[in-house]
């Protein structure tokens, strides 16, 4: 079983400004990859979702057409 990326990196908060990292957890359609596939724990999946939403809102991540 895959370990949660953020837990393995000892990262507590998911940084919405980290636009190099966030797309790793998005599909090519810019959807958030389900925790089952990405291996994220529930806590970090929730924080990732918030970070991605915030990054989209601020225009840091582009919606794909
Ligand atoms: Zn985690």
């Amino acid at each position: 079983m895959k370990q949660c990326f953020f837990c393995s990196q000892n990262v507590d908060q998911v940084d919405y400004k980290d636009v190099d990292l966030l797309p790793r957890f998005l599909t090519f359609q810019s959807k958030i990859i389900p925790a089952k596939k990405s291996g994220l724990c529930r806590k970090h999946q929730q924080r990732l979702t918030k970070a991605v939403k915030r990054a989209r809102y601020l225009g840091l991540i582009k919606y794909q057409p």
Side-chain angles (χ1 to χ4, degrees):
M1 206 173 146
K2 260 171 99 178
Q3 209 205 334
C4 169
F5 172 83
F6 295 103
C7 288
S8 70
Q9 300 286 310
N10 271 323
V11 174
D12 186 40
Q13 296 294 334
V14 180
D15 186 2
Y16 69 90
K17 297 188 292 306
D18 197 344
V19 292
D20 291 326
L21 180 67
L22 294 180
R24 283 203 215 175
F25 301 98
L26 301 174
T27 67
F28 67 99
Q29 290 171 314
S30 204
K31 288 183 177 162
I32 297 166
I33 295 170
K36 266 187 201 170
K37 280 193 184 169
S38 63
L40 295 187
C41 66
R42 197 181 292 176
K43 179 181 83 175
H44 280 117
Q45 183 73 10
Q46 281 179 353
R47 289 180 181 180
L48 174 77
T49 303
K50 277 190 180 174
V52 168
K53 282 181 178 167
R54 178 168 247 181
R56 277 179 186 155
Y57 177 74
L58 294 170
L60 301 176
I61 297 177
K62 297 242 165 72
Y63 285 104
Q64 298 296 315

